[in-house]
Amino acid sequence: MMKGQRGGNPEFFAGGATGSSYLPGEVAQDELETAARFMRTTRALIADAILIRDARLTPREWSLMLGEFVSAYIRPEGAIDEQVRDRFLEAIEAIGDSN
């Protein structure tokens, strides 16, 4: 397996035909489940962003889709964060109601 160097100079690895290079991130054994969940969420977020990138929608449809997007990926940690998220969702909804 690829493994980065601890405390030293990072070692990058070549990534296929594209010529990109990657720096592996080390994860402790007890953090593997959290890291896997993070990667699944990241992949889903990127896939959803790619899907909506070329969408041609009405303001109302954009409002609904963006509201779902925010609700899916923004997880408030406390009451204040939840209030901020809810205000953001209200603003997105208002865009859809402007027609």
Side-chain angles (χ1 to χ4, degrees):
M1 298 299 280
M2 295 188 311
K3 189 171 185 173
Q5 295 176 325
R6 289 183 186 240
N9 293 327
E11 184 177 346
F12 287 83
F13 294 87
T18 63
S20 298
S21 58
Y22 299 90
L23 179 63
E26 292 188 38
V27 178
Q29 189 69 26
D30 62 338
E31 297 173 332
L32 289 176
E33 185 177 333
T34 301
R37 188 174 27 248
F38 174 77
M39 290 306 298
R40 280 192 304 273
T41 302
T42 302
R43 285 180 168 202
L45 173 66
I46 292 169
D48 285 348
I50 289 170
L51 283 174
I52 68 173
R53 172 182 59 189
D54 298 321
R56 302 289 180 250
L57 304 171
T58 66
R60 180 71 183 145
E61 291 168 332
W62 273 112
S63 168
L64 293 171
M65 183 173 52
L66 290 174
E68 290 175 11
F69 189 81
V70 168
S71 295
Y73 294 107
I74 303 297
R75 304 277 188 230
E77 291 188 11
I80 293 173
D81 295 337
E82 190 171 348
Q83 289 174 348
V84 170
R85 191 239 10 235
D86 290 347
R87 283 190 214 146
F88 189 62
L89 288 170
E90 288 170 8
I92 291 171
E93 187 176 327
I95 292 170
D97 293 338
S98 65
N99 267 359

